[in-house]
């Protein structure tokens, strides 16, 4: 089964990504001035040597994706629990689902391009349980707990690219199988330094306004991927 990687962004940054032709890591020598939607303490942890990475460095040296659009973090954004900071440092208040978009890449395409990529089995925002990061594509099927992604009921289907969706539920439960489900569902796919825009298969938008904005930016900068409206990927 093909696996897909999702990165949620503030749609106001899409023009910059298309113009630069890549998404850059936080620690890139020429960083991009993005709208920041994150918890400061977690960003700081990702800047330490807390995790062993196959290509060295720290998590902030990589562009991070998740393996589905439904995660605990996207849920907390939807609930208005994370503020967004402008590129100039201004607090813009709670980030809104209406202002978000997903950049979606096929994992196999990234490996075919021979980029330095790797992946974890748990979210890289905690050391309990301690995530393990691997880089060989052939180990991906066994390293991530795909059962937690693939069991029914499925939601967030994107038929235009062949993505069949993900289990609607991602919260922890008392049963042994689900005790670390939230962190397992936030397993990460990391690309060292930068991710080329041509490897982004599609941009998923929550509404017509954002779709129009992204389509206009795509036309200006020659982005050839799909620009789709799919509110079901956000809630």
């Amino acid at each position: 089964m093909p696996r897909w990687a999702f990165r949620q962004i503030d749609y106001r940054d899409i023009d910059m990504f298309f113009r630069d032709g890549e998404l850059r890591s936080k620690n890139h020598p020429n960083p991009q001035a993005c709208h920041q939607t994150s918890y400061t303490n977690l960003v700081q942890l990702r800047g330490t040597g807390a995790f062993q990475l196959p290509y060295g460095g720290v998590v902030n040296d990589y562009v991070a994706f998740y393996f589905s659009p439904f995660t605990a973090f996207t849920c907390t954004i939807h609930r208005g629990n994370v503020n967004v900071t402008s590129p100039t440092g201004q607090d813009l208040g709670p980030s809104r689902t209406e202002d978000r978009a997903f950049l979606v890449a096929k994992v196999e395409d990234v490996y075919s391009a021979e980029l330095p990529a790797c992946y974890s089995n748990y979210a890289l925002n905690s050391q309990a349980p301690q995530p393990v990061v691997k880089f060989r594509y052939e180990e991906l099927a066994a390293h991530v707990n795909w059962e937690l992604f693939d069991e029914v009921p499925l939601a967030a289907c994107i038929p235009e690219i062949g993505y069949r969706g993900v289990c609607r539920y991602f919260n922890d439960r008392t049963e042994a199988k689900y005790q670390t489900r939230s962190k397992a569902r936030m397993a990460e796919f990391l690309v060292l330094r930068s991710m080329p825009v041509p490897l982004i298969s599609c941009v998923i938008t929550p509404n017509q306004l954002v779709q129009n904005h992204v389509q206009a930016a795509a036309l200006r900068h020659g982005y050839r991927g799909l620009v789709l409206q799919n509110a079901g990927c956000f809630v």
Side-chain angles (χ1 to χ4, degrees):
M1 179 188 301
R3 296 298 176 182
W4 298 86
F6 296 77
R7 181 175 177 87
Q8 192 179 129
I9 64 166
D10 190 298
Y11 84 95
R12 289 168 287 193
D13 295 330
I14 195 72
D15 204 281
M16 175 179 59
F17 297 143
F18 285 172
R19 182 194 66 222
D20 292 346
E22 62 183 6
L23 286 74
R24 297 172 186 161
S25 69
K26 185 175 182 62
N27 287 351
H28 194 280
N30 186 19
Q32 292 163 319
C34 299
H35 289 76
Q36 299 294 325
T37 309
S38 57
Y39 293 119
T40 302
N41 61 320
L42 298 185
V43 174
Q44 291 173 343
L45 175 65
R46 293 163 73 88
T48 73
F51 308 104
Q52 295 296 313
L53 301 170
Y55 297 102
V58 299
V59 179
N60 287 338
D61 293 321
Y62 296 73
V63 182
F65 293 75
Y66 298 100
F67 289 110
S68 83
F70 281 8
T71 66
F73 187 62
T74 56
C75 180
T76 201
I77 289 176
H78 175 66
R79 292 174 176 172
N81 295 332
V82 189
N83 278 22
V84 58
T85 303
S86 76
T88 59
Q90 180 183 1
D91 186 342
L92 302 179
S95 182
R96 308 183 312 153
T97 296
E98 295 86 348
D99 295 331
R100 310 298 289 176
F102 278 110
L103 305 180
V104 187
K106 194 174 186 178
V107 173
E108 183 180 1
D109 290 347
V110 177
Y111 276 96
S112 294
E114 300 184 347
L115 295 183
C118 52
Y119 49 89
S120 68
N121 54 347
Y122 292 105
L124 294 166
N125 61 14
S126 170
Q127 293 178 277
Q130 180 69 35
V132 175
V133 183
K134 295 189 174 184
F135 71 95
R136 293 185 177 88
Y137 180 63
E138 58 269 22
E139 295 185 69
L140 177 63
H143 189 57
V144 174
N145 189 347
W146 295 113
E147 182 181 2
L148 298 178
F149 291 78
D150 298 339
E151 61 186 0
V152 294
L154 294 176
C157 172
I158 310 173
E160 293 89 347
I161 62 171
Y163 177 65
R164 63 190 295 267
V166 66
C167 180
R168 179 176 296 278
Y169 305 119
F170 52 81
N171 54 301
D172 293 343
R173 283 171 35 184
T174 55
E175 299 97 319
K177 176 181 176 180
Y178 300 120
Q179 286 178 358
T180 58
R181 177 165 62 175
S182 178
K183 291 178 180 178
R185 280 285 298 270
M186 288 184 65
E188 300 188 38
F189 181 62
L190 306 176
V191 181
L192 183 62
R193 288 185 294 275
S194 63
M195 174 70 164
V197 165
L199 289 177
I200 302 298
S201 299
C202 69
V203 182
I204 303 296
T205 65
N207 53 52
Q208 190 66 54
L209 179 66
V210 175
Q211 184 180 24
N212 291 345
H213 179 94
V214 176
Q215 285 177 329
L219 184 62
R220 282 194 297 273
H221 300 289
Y223 172 67
R224 297 183 179 181
L226 299 175
V227 179
L228 305 171
Q229 183 182 164
N230 189 335
C233 287
F234 295 82
V235 181

